[in-house]
Amino acid sequence: KLDGLTIVLTYENGELVKAVTRGNGQIGEIITNNARMFKNIPVTISYKGRLVLRGEAIITYSDFNRINEEIPETDAKYKNPRNLANASLRLYDSKKASTRHLQFKAFTLVECPKMPKTVEESFHWMEKQGFTVVEYKKVTAFTIKETITDYFEKEVESYTFPTDGLVLCMDDIAYGASLGVTNKFPRNSIAFKWQDDSVETTLTDVIWSPSRTGLINPVALFKPVEIEGTMVTKASLHNLSYLSLLQLGYGDTI
């Protein structure tokens, strides 16, 4: 489960004709020109039918650090690679977007007349067309746990790009589709988040901030601390009752 920005690519007659962001799930932004500047998005493919696939736009930690070092103003620096990928996709200057070294990793074959029968087959097919796909392992009910703990949890520590979990999905595409969807998610898959990292710092202040819906909520300010490669200086306290429950005081270790 890559921590970037989801985009959808559409090919007609073997050519990339449209790239859009996920947006609100129904309407996204067209970013075709910038998508052509990705390091690993093929502009042309051998398959000549209509093809739609979904994947993640990501930026490596090294490129994130490089770009932040080029920004002199502290307040103007990007908070994490995901924010940088988001901003880079929306640049009006495609040449500037190319310097961000965005990468694309495909994870879903959305539409294809010759649709493979399984997810694993779809990954193989997309790779043959020149796409980089997300890392995956085929598992059974008996090998899920060991694959997560003995492989992915160890491998992710050395990844050069951010991830925030795993997705477990049914391999049989038709059977998975027959399971239907909830109000928000398809029933053919389950997402797992990595266990949160724990770090200590010191609370310095509590301020009040308006939320998206207009509510005024408390926000904790604390000494800067690095979490998963990102410097963090504040966190939402959700509401007044939560603040009271924690009994926070200035100078507390949190």
Side-chain angles (χ1 to χ4, degrees), residues 10-171:
T10 301
Y11 289 79
E12 298 276 5
N13 297 319
E15 294 187 5
L16 176 65
V17 295
K18 185 167 65 174
V20 298
T21 65
R22 182 174 59 179
N24 61 7
Q26 295 181 326
I27 300 175
E29 297 178 56
I30 297 176
I31 54 155
T32 311
N33 288 337
N34 285 351
R36 295 177 186 274
M37 299 297 173
F38 274 53
K39 292 176 64 177
N40 62 341
I41 288 182
V43 178
T44 60
I45 58 176
S46 60
Y47 179 69
K48 301 305 178 184
R50 176 177 168 82
L51 172 67
V52 181
L53 57 100
R54 186 180 296 118
E56 200 82 354
I58 58 173
I59 285 181
T60 63
Y61 288 119
S62 60
D63 283 318
F64 167 72
N65 292 329
R66 172 182 59 82
I67 292 167
N68 258 355
E69 288 172 359
E70 297 171 355
I71 302 173
E73 301 86 2
T74 301
D75 292 343
K77 293 181 184 292
Y78 293 97
K79 301 298 182 184
N80 52 56
R82 185 180 191 278
N83 291 144
L84 178 55
N86 194 350
S88 300
L89 285 174
R90 291 172 168 81
L91 288 171
Y92 289 111
D93 187 346
S94 295
K95 289 185 178 179
K96 185 176 181 180
S98 69
T99 66
R100 301 294 177 86
H101 296 171
L102 285 154
Q103 296 184 41
F104 176 79
K105 289 184 181 288
F107 57 73
T108 302
L109 189 57
V110 180
E111 182 183 335
C112 179
K114 296 181 179 180
M115 199 71 174
K117 294 182 178 180
T118 69
V119 173
E120 185 177 34
E121 289 174 5
S122 74
F123 282 145
H124 291 321
W125 189 85
M126 287 189 288
E127 286 178 313
K128 288 181 180 178
Q129 297 301 315
F131 297 101
T132 303
V133 302
V134 294
E135 184 174 8
Y136 64 93
K137 293 282 186 183
K138 191 169 184 178
V139 297
T140 68
F142 304 102
T143 61
I144 290 174
K145 187 175 181 180
E146 66 183 50
T147 302
I148 292 173
T149 57
D150 295 345
Y151 181 77
F152 279 108
E153 284 189 353
K154 294 178 181 178
E155 284 292 307
V156 73
E157 295 177 1
S158 60
Y159 281 179
T160 59
F161 48 85
T163 70
D164 58 2
L166 292 172
V167 176
L168 177 69
C169 64
M170 297 297 303
D171 192 37

Side-chain angles (χ1 to χ4, degrees), residues 160-254:
T160 59
F161 48 85
T163 70
D164 58 2
L166 292 172
V167 176
L168 177 69
C169 64
M170 297 297 303
D171 192 37
D172 188 315
I173 294 175
Y175 177 72
S178 74
L179 299 177
V181 297
T182 65
N183 289 336
K184 292 185 177 181
F185 307 108
R187 296 183 185 275
N188 71 331
S189 57
I190 302 172
F192 297 89
K193 290 280 189 177
W194 300 124
Q195 184 174 341
D196 291 336
D197 286 342
S198 295
V199 294
E200 286 189 359
T201 186
T202 303
L203 181 72
T204 58
D205 201 357
V206 174
I207 61 173
W208 300 92
S209 176
S211 70
R212 179 176 54 81
T213 57
L215 295 175
I216 306 298
N217 297 321
V219 175
L221 302 185
F222 42 80
K223 291 182 179 180
V225 63
E226 185 174 341
I227 302 176
E228 296 180 358
T230 301
M231 294 305 295
V232 183
T233 59
K234 61 184 178 180
S236 171
L237 291 169
H238 306 299
N239 53 53
L240 191 59
S241 61
Y242 190 62
L243 175 61
S244 177
L245 176 67
L246 292 175
Q247 297 185 9
L248 293 175
Y250 300 133
D252 280 354
T253 297
I254 57 173

